[in-house]
Amino acid sequence: MEDLDLLASMAIVLGVALFAGLLANRLKLPVILGYLVSGVVIGPHVLGLIGDVDDVETLATIGVVLLMFTLGLEFSLATLRKIGMIAVFGGIAQVLVTIALGLGIAWCLDFPVKESVLFGFFIALSSTIIVIKTLMDRGELGSPHGRIMIGILLIQDLSVVPMIAVLPQLGDSGTALLQDLGWALGKAAVFLGVVLVLGFWGLRLFMKRVVGERSRELFLLTVVCICLGAGFASHYLGLSVALGAFLAGLLIRESEYSQQALADIRPLRDVFAVLFFVALGMLADPGFVADNPGKVAGTVVAVV
């Protein structure tokens, strides 16, 4: 029966999420809220129905990758170019200002310097998946404000690279910090370059070969491999898995097979996305909130 632990966990997660989603929808609330609450309830801090949360979190990561991949399929390079300058300058300004806000909050809470910087980094990064899912549910993914929000979210994902380089070097010499930062940015630049080159010159030819086999199963398998492979490569180089998956979807969007790829992968995306939101709810500890209501409420108000 131990081999069925993952199956049992998925059955519990999806079953409770279904009930909570139906209840939230009946109450005219976002279904995401139902998924998050169901995660809190069945998580280790309340009922503890899930034995191995790590398995669910791993499946949830697949949901992140699939959701960002389909976002890339619904986007286009032309759209990205139109919002480029707004997203770049707006995103950089948002990240820097919010980091400063986080440092101020952490200083008020008497955090040490390193923890204060880490807190500022956390505050500066939005949940890309929650924002995108909300835009999808509201039908605003293609709206001007929706596109600008997505652009800023991508800048946030890219900002993870210097953040990861900076944190371990706090308190060390400036030379070590600059070396690590340069190495991290170099890896990111190489990854983006390789993805673009392979995407424009190799991906379309490869997909044309697969389509020539006239097998829908092989086509779906190809799309999933490209999606997960790009996400893993991005993570391996210290970037966000979401960014790699988005770039892969963006490149397929420029081919004549984008609509078929989107139609085939959308059901997988929806199921695994539910696992992500439930897993996110599992991380919440209601006991901590009950023990520290003032600090939690004050931090939330300051961020908002």
Side-chain angles (χ1 to χ4, degrees):
M1 292 298 292
E2 290 182 359
D3 294 336
L4 298 180
D5 284 347
L6 179 59
L7 178 62
S9 296
M10 286 192 64
I12 293 172
V13 167
L14 294 177
V16 175
L18 173 61
F19 175 79
L22 288 172
L23 181 60
N25 193 58
R26 180 63 62 90
L27 296 174
K28 306 299 181 183
L29 296 172
V31 291
I32 292 179
L33 184 60
Y35 301 153
L36 291 172
V37 172
S38 67
V40 174
V41 172
I42 66 177
H45 302 294
V46 183
L47 297 181
L49 297 181
I50 303 301
D52 194 345
V53 178
D54 291 339
D55 286 341
V56 178
E57 290 179 352
T58 300
L59 295 174
T61 303
I62 299 176
V64 174
V65 172
L66 292 174
L67 195 59
M68 291 301 296
F69 180 72
T70 55
L71 174 64
L73 288 173
E74 294 176 347
F75 233 58
S76 70
L77 289 174
T79 301
L80 204 57
R81 282 193 293 267
K82 288 180 181 178
I83 65 171
M85 299 309 293
I86 300 175
V88 169
F89 289 109
I92 292 175
Q94 177 268 313
V95 169
L96 294 178
V97 171
T98 316
I99 287 175
L101 170 67
L103 289 171
I105 296 174
W107 179 77
C108 294
L109 297 175
D110 295 325
F111 283 11
V113 174
K114 192 168 185 176
E115 283 76 3
S116 298
V117 174
L118 180 62
F119 186 77
F121 286 170
F122 283 155
I123 296 297
L125 301 177
S126 308
S127 175
T128 304
I129 308 305
I130 289 182
V131 175
I132 290 172
K133 177 64 175 173
T134 303
L135 289 173
M136 285 181 175
D137 291 343
R138 292 167 61 92
E140 298 175 357
L141 198 60
S143 65
H145 63 273
R147 292 173 178 176
I148 291 173
M149 290 165 70
I150 291 169
I152 292 176
L153 289 168
L154 292 175
I155 295 299
Q156 290 183 358
D157 285 338
L158 285 171
S159 70
V160 173
V161 177
M163 289 180 184
I164 292 175
V166 166
L167 274 176
Q169 303 301 328
L170 287 178
D172 293 346
S173 65
T175 302
L177 175 59
L178 289 176
Q179 288 177 347
D180 283 353
L181 185 58
W183 175 242
L185 293 176
K187 288 194 298 183
V190 169
F191 172 74
L192 294 175
V194 169
V195 167
L196 291 175
V197 170
L198 291 179
F200 281 118
W201 279 279
L203 186 60
R204 186 172 298 181
L205 179 62
F206 177 70
M207 293 195 69
K208 187 176 181 179
R209 285 284 190 92
V210 174
V211 170
E213 298 295 327
R214 300 184 180 277
S215 170
R216 187 169 183 177
E217 180 180 341
L218 289 176
F219 180 79
L220 175 59
L221 184 60
T222 300
V223 172
V224 172
C225 285
I226 292 172
C227 170
L228 297 182
F232 173 76
S234 180
H235 173 73
Y236 183 77
L237 292 175
L239 296 168
S240 163
V241 293
L243 180 64
F246 174 79
L247 289 175
L250 196 66
L251 293 173
I252 293 181
R253 173 70 172 80
E254 300 302 311
S255 72
E256 58 267 38
Y257 313 114
S258 59
Q259 294 302 316
Q260 184 62 49
L262 180 61
D264 287 350
I265 207 167
R266 186 175 282 162
L268 283 175
R269 175 202 70 185
D270 293 340
V271 172
F272 280 96
V274 171
L275 292 174
F276 167 78
F277 294 117
V278 175
L280 192 61
M282 290 180 183
L283 299 177
D285 184 359
F288 178 83
V289 178
D291 294 337
N292 303 274
K295 289 184 178 180
V296 173
T299 302
V300 170
V301 170
V303 172
V304 172

